[in-house]
Structure formats: structure tokens, C-alpha cells
Amino acid sequence: MRDNPPDTLPKPRRGGSTSRTGDGRIATRILLVEDDVVNQDLAARMLKRLGCQVTTAGDGADALRRISEQTFDLVLMDCEMPVMDGFAAACAIRRSLSASVPAAGPPLPIIALTSHDPAEVRARCLASGMDEAIGKPIGAAQLSACLTRWLPVAGLAQDRATDSPAGDTGAKADGARLTDATVRDRSVLARIVPQFTASALQTAVAIRRATEANDLEAVWRAAHRLKSSAAWLGVTELARCCEEIEKRARRATTLPSEHLLELLDSAITAALSALRAMCGAPA
């Protein structure tokens, strides 16, 4: 259940870049608000390759604290998070900014990052004070275009990956996401795959326990989170299985069947084997 914004909020600072990179470009300061460690890591790497300075927050309440302490040019806000979700956080940020007297600096863009269909949640995002909704997974080119729309003078760097690309092993992940330089670097995968492995196995256990407890919300939230990181890493069969579980629990209020839970376990096993092969680890 979404928490309500607290009555007393820290005062967010408004946008405005002041630091510069070694080549004289303005260093764009991004606050990335994302609870999933895999998604957070990948998005932060993409942003850094674009020349951005990145600060991360794990939920909306953490984001409010960060914004009260630092100046940012743009916020990338996940929608579904524990403690305080992105909708509540955006609303709280806008409320505090509107109460700031005198107003200083340009408006702070808040961009929703969502694993839902952006068209389905766009109205809710705008109503909460966000400026745009873009779907996950997001590639470096799409991310760069988004930042350029909202920060046209930022002078973003080109994404020139220099790490070793993951090899074509035949047991590769089954999505186009691995064509993104940030995701297909073997050095990146070597760091991300263990994180994803732990997250996927824990999520499978959480979904089964929530099913046994008849907790529909816990089921769809867990499936939603794993769907997002699976899609980002290109293991689309696992992402589709999670999407089916989420859809049934959230929209049809139906708990996953034992057959569907077994399909989830099989999809996780196949995904982990594929990703380990991609980064050169034993399958």
C-alpha cells in the first residue's frame, strides 16, 4: 500500500548545474530513484557514460532527503517502490517547491521510469507532478534523448563503451537489450549477474510464500520488480512469465497456479544459465 506523504517535508533544492567536467561541459546532476539494485546499477552506469553525476536513492522518502541536501538538475523516478512510491514522492517534492519563497532557479524535471505501459500510467504520473513517463527497460540512446529534451544545454557525452563485450556463446540471453553497450559489457555482466541471481531466487521464494498466504499485492509487486530487471537484461521469457503473474494477481485478482510457479522456476533457471554464459562464467 502506498504511504501518504509526511506532513513535514524537507525542503527540496531547485535545479541548476554549477560543476563542470574536465573538458568544460556542464556536469548534469541526476537523482536516480530506483529500489531494484540491478536496475539502479544499470541506469547509473548509462548515466555516467553520458557524463552525468549520479546520486541514487532507494525509495521516495530517501529521494526527499537527498533533494533537501543537494542540488539536482533532473530526477529519474521509479513509480513502484516500498516506503514511499514515486507518485507520492513527486507530489511531496512539488508541494515543497511550491511552498518555497522566494522561488529560485529553474523547475526541477521529474521523469517517471515505469515497468508499466507508460500510456497507462501517464495521467497518474502527470497528476502527481511528474513531467514525463518513459518505459523500462531504457537504452542509452533513449535516456540521452530524454535528458536532452529536458536539459537541452547539458552537453551530454557520447556513450563510448570501452569494456570487453560479452561473447556470443550460443546460450545467450534472448532479447535485444544486450546490444546496449552498458548491458552487454562482460565486465558489467560479471558484476550484475550475481546481483540478479540473488534477486531472482529471492523473488521466486517471495512469490511462492505470498501465494501460500493469499497475499495478492505481495505477489504482483514481487513479479513486477523481477519483470523489470529481467527485461533490462534481455531474458524476455522470464520477463513474460513475471508479467503474466503480475497481470493475474493485479488485474484478475487470481493467485498464480502451481503450474505457473513451476514455469517461473524454470524461466529463472534458464535465464541465469544464459546470463552466466554471456559473462563467461560456468552455466
Side-chain angles (χ1 to χ4, degrees), residues 2-252:
R2 188 179 78 187
D3 290 350
N4 292 323
D7 293 332
T8 303
L9 299 169
K11 297 299 183 184
R13 297 169 182 262
R14 289 178 180 266
S17 296
T18 55
S19 65
R20 293 180 178 270
T21 62
D23 59 5
R25 287 182 295 102
I26 294 174
T28 303
R29 296 172 178 177
I30 305 295
L31 176 62
L32 172 64
V33 191
E34 167 65 66
D35 66 310
D36 183 84
V37 293
V38 174
N39 292 350
Q40 187 184 97
D41 197 330
L42 289 172
R45 287 172 182 270
M46 289 182 184
L47 289 164
K48 289 175 182 177
R49 280 183 165 149
L50 293 171
C52 299
Q53 294 181 357
V54 184
T55 299
T56 59
D59 58 63
D62 190 17
L64 286 172
R65 288 191 293 269
R66 300 284 188 181
I67 290 174
S68 71
E69 298 167 352
Q70 303 176 52
T71 297
F72 297 101
D73 300 298
L74 183 140
V75 178
L76 290 170
M77 182 80 74
D78 185 29
C79 291
E80 302 289 355
M81 294 179 292
V83 184
M84 176 187 282
D85 66 23
F87 305 108
C91 182
I93 291 168
R94 293 300 184 213
R95 192 175 72 202
S96 290
L97 286 177
S98 66
S100 298
V101 180
L108 177 65
I110 304 176
I111 311 302
L113 294 177
T114 177
S115 296
H116 300 303
D117 182 344
E120 294 181 358
V121 297
R122 183 176 184 275
R124 188 179 177 193
C125 290
L126 296 179
S128 69
M130 293 189 243
D131 297 285
E132 182 180 354
I134 53 179
K136 293 187 288 187
I138 183 171
Q142 184 186 8
L143 186 58
S144 178
C146 174
L147 296 182
T148 300
R149 281 196 298 276
W150 292 99
L151 303 169
V153 298
L156 300 174
Q158 296 294 317
D159 183 5
R160 298 187 180 93
T162 57
D163 296 327
S164 301
D168 185 356
T169 64
K172 60 186 179 182
D174 57 351
R177 297 301 309 160
L178 293 182
T179 62
D180 191 290
T182 303
V183 183
R184 67 179 170 82
D185 285 342
R186 181 166 286 168
S187 61
V188 174
L189 285 173
R191 173 188 173 94
I192 292 295
V193 168
Q195 293 178 340
F196 181 75
T197 298
S199 176
L201 295 176
Q202 290 169 3
T203 300
V205 172
I207 290 174
R208 186 171 285 277
R209 287 178 177 172
T211 299
E212 293 170 353
N214 295 318
D215 190 338
L216 285 165
E217 182 174 355
V219 168
W220 77 252
R221 285 190 179 278
H224 177 85
R225 187 168 55 250
L226 181 56
K227 175 189 72 173
S228 176
S229 54
W232 214 319
L233 286 172
V235 281
T236 54
E237 288 300 323
L238 175 56
R240 280 194 286 266
C241 185
C242 290
E243 183 175 27
E244 182 63 24
I245 292 174
E246 178 189 5
K247 185 187 305 181
R248 292 188 183 191
R250 190 172 195 177
R251 298 181 180 176

